[in-house]
Amino acid sequence: MAGPSTSVLFVCLGNICRSPMAEAVFRHTLIGSPIAHRVTCDSAGTAGHHVGEAPHRSTLLVLREAGIDTAHRARRVTRDDFDRFDLLVAMDAANVASLREIAPAETRARISLFRDFDASSPRGSEVPDPWGNPMTAFREVYTLCARASEGLVRELVARER
Ligand code: 4NP
């Protein structure tokens, strides 16, 4: 079935821990949904310190435990991303603030917090930065990404009706 397509960019600070997890989990969640072939996604960081790097080993381990692969390499968000992506989905409030600084004014409404798609989370909830923390923190990020991905897929399906 042909139809409009939607593109989603997941954004965190370094693009090595949370947003590559979000991107991979969201892509996995899309499998089997009626919009699977009409949604594309990527991830990027608001800072450039890790550009070109593979995701953090704990992100890779947690994804592997869930049977999910990723070939992502870190990159930094650019102004062009606001033209290329319909939705910019941030992990925390600092990411939203950084995105708003570089966003063309008319695109600011397309920036959201990832956990705002999870109806079981209070509005404004963040995906906490696991950088420097043990595996349990990365497993928590995975759980939050899985819930928010379910909600985002549901929202995108509803928008197409
Ligand atoms: P991320 O985590 O934003 O989830 O990728 C971080 C990765 C690296 C740094 C901070 C957060 N850092 O300061 O290098």
Side-chain angles (χ1 to χ4, degrees):
M1 182 171 64
S5 63
T6 304
S7 51
V8 183
L9 183 68
F10 295 96
V11 176
C12 64
L13 177 62
N15 192 215
I16 54 170
C17 301
R18 292 167 293 173
S19 60
M21 180 105 77
E23 177 199 344
V25 171
F26 176 72
R27 189 171 283 128
H28 187 77
T29 307
L30 273 173
I31 296 170
S33 88
I35 54 166
H37 301 292
R38 294 201 298 283
V39 179
T40 58
C41 63
D42 190 12
S43 64
T46 60
H49 311 298
H50 297 278
V51 168
E53 291 180 20
H56 191 286
R57 55 187 289 275
S58 298
T59 285
L60 292 174
L61 270 170
V62 169
L63 286 173
R64 199 167 307 143
E65 283 172 359
I68 301 174
D69 277 334
T70 175
H72 189 74
R73 291 297 176 268
R75 72 171 182 87
R76 195 170 188 179
V77 181
T78 68
R79 226 178 126 85
D80 285 349
D81 286 321
F82 291 89
D83 296 326
R84 293 177 50 215
F85 291 91
D86 299 308
L87 287 177
L88 293 103
V89 178
M91 299 300 117
D92 63 31
N95 307 148
V96 171
S98 300
L99 284 172
R100 288 178 68 89
E101 271 174 28
I102 60 164
E106 68 282 5
T107 63
R108 288 192 186 139
R110 296 195 266 111
I111 303 169
S112 314
L113 274 175
F114 193 23
R115 289 185 67 193
D116 279 348
F117 293 103
D118 173 5
S120 68
S121 296
R123 249 197 111 63
S125 296
E126 302 184 319
V127 179
D129 189 350
W131 169 256
N133 288 308
M135 278 291 283
T136 49
F138 285 80
R139 292 205 177 91
E140 172 69 4
V141 168
Y142 174 83
T143 301
L144 298 176
C145 286
R147 283 192 207 134
S149 289
E150 294 281 350
L152 179 52
V153 169
R154 211 172 294 127
E155 160 94 19
L156 295 178
V157 168
R159 280 187 195 185
E160 292 214 0
R161 288 218 172 95

